[in-house]
């Protein structure tokens, strides 16, 4: 049998994933039927990089800069000012609320189809300058191997991300074979309108749902309605998703810990954008995989 | 080749469904790849009866009656008063808002797992007295044939219902082979809590989203992210779902019209709970299938 996870170093993490998949697919006490083999993956920092900044944020920044001349009031107003003058530190300090404000300003007042087209146009050329590749080609090979391995073993995998659902859908199938109907993300509210060209959905300047922290298990229950048996994350925003998974049996909880500053990025407890602190403690205490 | 829809009378409706499926599965201009063969079905009145009252409402009524002694303030307050005294007319007049109030009172303040267990316990014995069968066995045979036919042709079918997602999930797989992750419904908000026994989601006394009318295309985009190519409904609450489907190509829009008072129920424009009026006009004008 060929190694299903050839990019993984031999060790506890690889062994625990392979052992888990063998247990739930082998008749016996831990067998899980196909329809319950649900796995959930955080996206930024788990399937692809979130450094130097999350990809969706970079997309928004490019749109905010393009829209700035039409919004003079953005000068002097954070997080917009930081984007216009290129102050990455101030931008990072604006945190999740700043992210939401930028998402609203950059991606609303247009139809869902227009947003999808604008995201795909940007993704077609946008490049990570450290890794020298298109963002959609920057996914982590070990994680793509896990997705393929789970798929081959009858799992249905979802992305459950703090990013917005329609942005993730613009690349998820191309980047890691996750189709739109298996993407759960943060949302902006939409408004249905009938036009002479037919029905459209207009993206409103109103955050619908923030899919982070306790929002992740809430969204998993609301949209999937099946408790996952495997969950993969990399920051404290994924903690409750792993806890919700751990409350069932059997269950596999995996934490991606970024420790390779040469080939990728190294960060954990001190990160402003994606802190891995409480989750690292919990994973250690509960003997989760990391 | 055996007839895929043996319960359907020969006629325009049957022909249009079969022709559509053949067109989208045959190489050529109208071919639709597997991942885009998405179909959406209303539930109450489309897959199973909604008369004399929608099944979820009957479930709620039985719970409201059981809870009434603990809520003396419900006497004199609609829609609760109508449930306690059995005034079906007043109950029907309370409409969708009344339904929401009952849903909140009957199905919240408990965990999602407890709600699921209470719904399944009720469904195990609750019976439609006119049709003389368990509600979960009251699905329409012609519609089950359509679901089977679409499945056999590579479609992924979703329920998109004004009912609440977790109630529908309690029967949908048993009743019509729709798994929990393909159920989109109205929601109550939940709150994540860590308990000594592990993580739980508590259902709050707060309506999250009403999946009706324009809410249906909004929910389809938010949760599926793929425009359906086929949509089935039976009341004005399904109109925008069919319009949203019709805005793409190819597209099949089907309206179930209840005209058989002997074997089932007959109702349309005058119904208080599930009016089929504007949708019937639109289906006629646009040559949709009904």
């Amino acid at each position: 049998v060929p190694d299903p996870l050839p990019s993984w170093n031999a060790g506890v993490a690889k062994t625990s994933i392979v052992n888990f998949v063998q247990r739930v697919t082998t008749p016996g006490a831990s067998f899980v039927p196909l329809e319950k083999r649900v796995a959930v993956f955080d996206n930024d920092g788990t399937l692809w990089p979130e450094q130097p900044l999350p990809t969706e944020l970079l997309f928004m920044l490019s749109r905010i800069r393009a829209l700035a001349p039409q919004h003079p009031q953005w000068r002097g107003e954070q997080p917009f000012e930081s984007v216009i003058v290129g102050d990455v530190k101030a931008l990072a300090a604006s945190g999740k609320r700043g992210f939401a404000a930028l998402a609203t300003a950059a991606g609303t007042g247009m139809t869902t189809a227009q947003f999808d087209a604008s995201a795909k146009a940007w993704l077609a050329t946008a490049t990570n300058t450290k890794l020298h590749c298109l963002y959609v080609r920057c996914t982590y090979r070990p994680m793509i191997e896990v997705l393929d391995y789970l798929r081959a073993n009858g799992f249905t995998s979802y992305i459950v991300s703090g990013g917005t659902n329609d942005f993730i859908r613009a690349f998820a199938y191309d980047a890691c074979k996750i189709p739109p109907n298996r993407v759960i993300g943060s949302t902006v509210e939409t408004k249905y309108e009938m036009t002479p060209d037919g029905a459209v959905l207009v993206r409103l300047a109103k955050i619908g749902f923030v899919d982070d922290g306790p929002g992740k298990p809430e969204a998993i229950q609301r949209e999937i309605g099946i408790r996952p048996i495997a969950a993969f994350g990399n920051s404290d925003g994924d903690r409750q998703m792993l806890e919700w998974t751990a409350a069932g049996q059997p269950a596999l909880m995996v934490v991606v810990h970024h420790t390779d500053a040469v080939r990728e990025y190294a960060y954990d407890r001190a990160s402003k954008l994606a802190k891995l602190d409480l989750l690292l403690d919990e994973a250690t205490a509960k003997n989760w995989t990391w």
Side-chain angles (χ1 to χ4, degrees), chain A:
Chain A
V1 182
D3 183 348
L5 302 174
S7 297
W8 288 65
N9 293 328
V12 173
K14 178 173 180 170
T15 304
S16 71
I17 294 170
V18 172
N19 285 352
F20 176 80
V21 170
Q22 289 177 346
R23 274 203 302 138
V24 301
T25 57
T26 304
S30 296
F31 180 79
V32 176
L34 278 175
E35 67 272 18
K36 296 193 172 171
R37 289 184 205 161
V38 170
V40 288
F41 291 78
D42 171 58
N43 184 44
D44 296 303
T46 298
L47 295 180
W48 72 359
E50 59 192 342
Q51 302 287 354
L53 287 172
T55 307
E56 181 165 9
L57 187 49
L58 295 166
F59 166 60
M60 285 172 196
L61 301 187
S62 88
R63 283 194 61 83
I64 293 291
R65 276 186 225 106
L67 293 169
Q70 299 159 45
H71 299 270
Q73 78 280 12
W74 284 353
R75 294 303 302 240
E77 186 190 340
Q78 293 297 12
F80 302 101
E81 170 82 13
S82 67
V83 177
I84 296 163
V85 304
D87 182 348
V88 175
K89 209 165 178 176
L91 177 62
S94 76
K96 289 188 180 95
R97 278 172 195 236
F99 185 83
L102 295 172
T104 301
T108 64
M110 61 179 78
T111 68
T112 51
Q114 288 166 336
F115 178 84
D116 183 61
S118 78
K120 284 179 175 153
W122 183 82
L123 287 159
T125 61
T127 302
N128 180 308
T129 49
K130 175 171 179 180
L131 304 178
H132 306 293
C133 70
L134 290 174
Y135 287 106
V136 291
R137 296 285 160 263
C138 285
T139 49
Y140 301 126
R141 189 183 302 168
M143 296 305 292
I144 298 297
E145 290 173 2
V146 170
L147 285 169
D148 290 343
Y149 178 45
L150 293 180
R151 190 181 304 110
N153 281 279
F155 279 73
T156 303
S157 293
Y158 288 78
I159 289 175
V160 180
S161 168
T164 65
N165 54 357
D166 285 339
F167 181 76
I168 302 165
R169 288 169 176 153
F171 64 80
Y173 192 79
D174 184 25
C176 46
K177 295 187 201 146
I178 302 286
N181 55 340
R182 291 201 265 113
V183 168
I184 298 173
S186 296
T187 63
V188 299
E189 295 201 356
T190 59
K191 186 175 188 306
Y192 177 83
E193 285 181 11
M194 183 52 102
T195 74
D197 298 328
V200 298
L201 288 166
V202 177
R203 290 166 58 90
L204 301 178
K206 191 176 173 194
I207 299 293
F209 180 78
V210 178
D211 190 30
D212 193 47
K216 291 200 174 191
E218 290 167 21
I220 287 168
Q221 175 60 23
R222 186 177 58 238
E223 300 202 15
I224 307 177
I226 303 166
R227 190 194 300 272
I229 62 169
F232 296 73
N234 78 299
S235 78
D236 286 359
D238 303 317
R239 191 181 169 210
Q240 290 87 349
M241 177 168 81
L242 271 63
E243 289 174 346
W244 176 243
T245 303
Q249 276 300 325
L252 173 71
M253 285 64 63
V254 181
V255 176
V256 175
H257 189 191
H258 294 270
T259 54
D260 187 340
V262 176
R263 291 187 305 165
E264 204 244 340
Y265 301 93
Y267 60 102
D268 48 32
R269 297 185 193 272
S271 170
K272 277 211 171 64
L273 268 169
K275 189 183 285 195
L276 174 62
D277 183 30
L278 297 175
L279 177 56
L280 200 53
D281 291 341
E282 187 166 355
T284 306
K286 297 184 175 173
N287 204 22
W288 293 348
T289 300
W290 60 278

